[in-house]
Amino acid sequence: MKYMTAIPDMSETIYDILHTTIHTVYPKYYPEEVADFFCRHHSKEHILEGIASGNMGVLMKGNIIVGTGCFDGNHITGLYILPAYQKQGCGSRIMDCLEAEIMKKHETAILDASLPAVCFYEHRGYQTIGHGRYELEHDVKLIYEIMEKKLRMD
């Protein structure tokens, strides 16, 4: 598996990974409105902005892009693995790369964890430091964990 910086030519594939993962995994934990919210948030324009920042990467398994990760400062803003490749170490590989980049400038990493991902992050040493709540249409609430991990001691 190889992790590399995303380029604009990969935006369609990244879009497909995000939307496939959201529509497959999120409905098991959240109402339909939450999955729709995340799909709207992860628009093609948003993905191109992430690529342009230089902080978005993709995980290659052979010739196939199987996942993507992104950060901004010390905030991990996204980690998505195609469902067929989950539970194979792909998420851990991307997190290792994101944390290594963040560690160059910051002591801690923070992230907003969706319900399906909380246990994964806890196993990586993240601790919940707060709870987020976002109001959506039809009185639906998006609930998530705000998590933090100390990456280095200074």
Side-chain angles (χ1 to χ4, degrees):
M1 289 187 289
K2 180 183 175 188
Y3 187 74
M4 59 189 285
T5 302
I7 59 172
D9 288 352
M10 298 173 175
S11 64
E12 255 332 292
T13 303
I14 293 169
Y15 179 88
D16 290 342
I17 289 169
L18 293 169
H19 288 247
T20 298
T21 304
I22 290 165
H23 282 300
T24 304
V25 176
Y26 281 39
K28 297 173 185 174
Y29 297 83
Y30 292 115
E32 182 181 331
E33 289 89 349
V34 172
D36 292 343
F37 166 80
F38 276 103
C39 284
R40 284 191 309 274
H41 175 71
H42 292 296
S43 66
K44 292 179 181 177
E45 294 76 21
H46 184 257
I47 292 165
L48 286 169
E49 288 171 9
I51 292 170
S53 75
N55 297 334
M56 180 177 276
V58 295
L59 185 67
M60 305 289 298
K61 204 167 191 182
N63 296 353
I64 301 168
I65 299 174
V66 299
T68 184
C70 194
F71 69 98
D72 182 15
N74 73 328
H75 188 191
I76 295 172
T77 57
L79 173 66
Y80 290 88
I81 308 297
L82 281 171
Y85 294 91
Q86 292 178 3
K87 307 220 183 293
Q88 298 176 32
C90 297
S92 293
R93 175 77 174 103
I94 292 174
M95 286 297 292
D96 289 344
C97 295
L98 294 174
E99 290 173 356
E101 284 302 310
I102 291 169
M103 195 180 333
K104 292 177 182 177
K105 297 181 181 175
H106 304 278
E107 293 179 18
T108 60
I110 59 168
L111 53 82
D112 299 333
S114 63
L115 296 179
V118 170
C119 290
F120 168 75
Y121 293 125
E122 285 177 343
H123 282 105
R124 291 193 57 85
Y126 285 81
Q127 295 181 334
T128 298
I129 58 170
H131 304 280
R133 178 181 167 134
Y134 193 82
E135 302 282 335
L136 299 174
E137 64 270 7
H138 306 117
D139 202 31
V140 171
K141 281 99 177 137
L142 164 59
I143 305 297
Y144 57 93
E145 303 290 309
I146 302 164
M147 303 183 83
E148 179 181 70
K149 176 181 178 181
K150 191 161 232 24
L151 299 176
R152 61 184 165 101
M153 305 291 184
D154 279 346

